[in-house]
Amino acid sequence: MSKIITFGKECIAELRKVVWPTRDDVVAAVKVVIVSTILVAVFFGAVDAFFVACLGWFF
């Protein structure tokens, strides 16, 4: 039982060392994720449209 209590105390001690991001950092990271997701989706959509058009020529 003492190992469990020690583990809990060490977890709390480590969590106090964490440098949590500011709201501005989180907002900037979310913007990067959204923009990159949109760009990748547009790219894959264009590639898909290209392959569909190529298959249309053959069939």
Side-chain angles (χ1 to χ4, degrees):
M1 189 67 179
S2 66
K3 288 185 179 183
I4 295 173
I5 294 172
T6 303
F7 176 76
K9 288 180 180 179
E10 289 176 357
C11 286
I12 292 170
E14 288 297 320
L15 284 173
R16 287 189 177 141
K17 295 178 186 178
V18 174
V19 178
W20 299 100
T22 64
R23 182 178 179 88
D24 293 336
D25 292 339
V26 174
V27 169
V30 168
K31 286 179 185 177
V32 168
V33 169
I34 290 173
V35 169
S36 61
T37 301
I38 290 171
L39 290 175
V40 169
V42 168
F43 171 74
F44 282 126
V47 170
D48 182 56
F50 172 75
F51 283 124
V52 168
C54 288
L55 285 174
W57 292 338
F58 292 116
F59 298 108

